Amino acid sequence: MLSLQALSGQLLVGLINGSFYALLSLGFAVIFGLLGIINVAQGTFYMLGAFGSWMLLNYTGIGYWPALILSPLIAAIVGMAIEKTLIARVYKLDHIYGLLLTYGIMMFIQGMFVYWFATAGRPYPVPIDLRGGFDLDFLFLPKYRAWVVLASLVFCFATWFAIEKTSLGRTLRAATENPQLTRAFGINVPALLTFGFGAGVALAGFAGVLAAPIYSVSPLMGGELVITVFAVVVVGGMGSILGAIVTGLTLGVVEGLTKLFYPPGANMVIFVIMFIVLLIKPAGLFGRER
Amino acid sequence: MTTNPAADAACLVIEGLHGLYGDSHVLQGVSLKVDRGEVVTIIGRNGAGKTTTLRAVMGLLDKRSGSINVWGREVIAEAPERIAKLGVAYVPEERGIYATLDVTENLLLPPRVGPGGMSLDEIFRLFPNLRERRRSQGTRLSGGEQQMLAIARVLRTGARLFLLDEPTEGLAPVIVQQIRGAIEMMKQEGHTILLVEQNFRFAQRLADRHYVMERGRIVDMIARADVASQAARIQAYLGI
């Protein structure tokens, strides 16, 4: 029989997964919207974020809270260097070249980490301030998981706000819509693209640090996730900021609930939804037809 | 204004400009000169290379060679954003209003590139329609309002050289009058304007000189004083 405990438990698991889907697909949407690059390496930057915090802790003793800022920053710097040297060269080509290039980058970075660290997961301790949890009668809510959902929501909202309501966002939207004309107004669009790529990567890195204490840190952690994230992005609509956030959270919950009602379907429910959405609304739920 | 007009009277000097648009060799050695404070038009038939000349000045043409000098600086190899920063403003033929930005955001987008730009209030006084529609999405505006917005947008920036591409194309007479008013005001303030225009009657009342363009070259130059006596020649050039 369906119990409240089981239901709320799966809802929580779904929300947690959805938080990661939302953050990752948001970074994906920022990068695709701005640069037109299908960044398959987004999962790799998530892994870099998680590994960054693990290395900071184990090699330098720097703990979770500083790592939450430092690690995404490092990932962003790596990402911006890659954008400047490699990705900037394929903007004028078909989308498929960006996809292939970032796929190559993913294989390269992931391969290096497998070589150095092997594939076994490494634990990352939950920060002391967030140990324990709240007993809500029907559900034991670990503090850390509540924090993940909260932090993800705050970051998603902040990103949406920055793009829709600030002057930086205004410039980013203009650069997305008409890069040539935007340059003719005196705006350095190439630099803006590098920054945008860095911001998208930082979102993935941030998700990686959040994930480290929940899932173990492993070189392959991003490769598995990116497939699901890709499906989320397609359902939400390529490049749609709001679509990425809403779809990420919703599909996480849907996946969690499927685990409860029909466990064998849990692994494929997101892809089934993607299939249906593509049939009915090929631009995605929040996407604009091009 | 200037103590040594000979030294810095020239605002834009183009010499032997060649430009490719895709595979076609659109500009075949364009040479022209615009002095500070002048309003100069480029007239000519469709496909003569007028728009491409403006795009080349703005750095928006991938393949260009020759010389483009803006206030004594060679910009033939400069990126568009660097050219804009010299105080050059561009109003494209297609107007380039951003659909993802509302009217106010469109107005606020271009950064300031020099002192003395208009404030948002002054702009709204010049184009009251824009004030009423300031929260509308840019591309929801009528064609005339979009053209006003395209011009208003660069009046804020403090630019001193304006490249205007067919600002009256397809607009109702009453709107054309408003656009003319804005250009006359810019001229009075001492701005330099290079105007591409098909509507010769419009151009004639504003411009100090007219360059005639044919097949990628400047083939003639007619001063304001000669327009009346050269009417037949001009008509032949424009194919009217």
Side-chain angles (χ1 to χ4, degrees), chain A residues 92 164-167 169-175 177-190 288, chain B residues 55 58 60 62 79-81 84-85 88 90 92 95-101 105 108-111 113 153-154:
Chain A
K92 286 186 178 165
E164 294 298 328
K165 303 289 172 195
T166 67
S167 65
R170 176 173 75 212
T171 311
L172 285 169
R173 275 179 287 142
E177 189 180 331
N178 192 341
Q180 287 284 76
L181 182 64
T182 307
R183 292 184 75 175
F185 285 137
I187 293 164
N188 190 340
V189 173
R288 271 176 299 149
Chain B
R55 289 179 55 85
M58 209 60 244
L60 294 172
D62 283 341
E81 59 269 21
K85 292 272 185 205
V88 186
Y90 175 50
R95 292 160 193 151
I97 302 305
Y98 295 92
T100 46
L101 273 57
E105 286 180 318
L108 294 178
L109 175 73
V113 294
R153 189 164 58 178
V154 291

Side-chain angles (χ1 to χ4, degrees), chain A residues 231-249:
Chain A
V232 168
V233 169
V234 171
V235 171
M238 296 288 283
S240 163
I241 302 294
L242 193 63
I245 299 171
V246 174
T247 317
L249 284 167

